[in-house]
Amino acid sequence: PISGVSLRAQPPEGQVALGDRLVLSCAVTTGTGPLSFSWHREGSGTPLGTGPSLELQHVGDNDSGHYQCRVSNGDSVAKSPALNITVL
């Protein structure tokens, strides 16, 4: 099983200025097999991206919200805690 999924943001604290770049990184403590990543924002049905990191080049007002990384190895799925991103 997958465990220890964590999420971190650059800039730290998840506060980013309008028009700036935001990078979210997902890390897994334990997990076997090929891992697949997907990125989700609360209220958005479609994944925002795949891979261990998500980069938004120019954040806009509508990019504020709670972000989450989901990790799957085909057998199990684990989610990171939600991270609140605030666009200033």
Side-chain angles (χ1 to χ4, degrees), residues 10-82:
Q10 187 61 39
E13 278 93 58
Q15 296 191 341
V16 58
L18 186 67
D20 278 2
R21 185 173 78 122
L22 169 69
V23 179
L24 300 175
S25 303
C26 190
V28 179
T29 307
T30 311
T32 57
L35 300 177
S36 63
F37 297 83
S38 63
W39 291 92
H40 304 269
R41 186 174 72 232
E42 187 180 59
S44 171
T46 34
L48 302 171
T50 56
S53 64
L54 175 70
E55 184 174 331
L56 303 177
Q57 287 287 345
H58 305 283
V59 295
D61 290 324
N62 59 344
D63 290 320
S64 287
H66 290 85
Y67 287 76
Q68 191 175 52
C69 167
R70 294 182 192 163
V71 185
S72 171
N73 64 0
D75 294 324
S76 61
V77 176
K79 300 176 185 177
S80 72

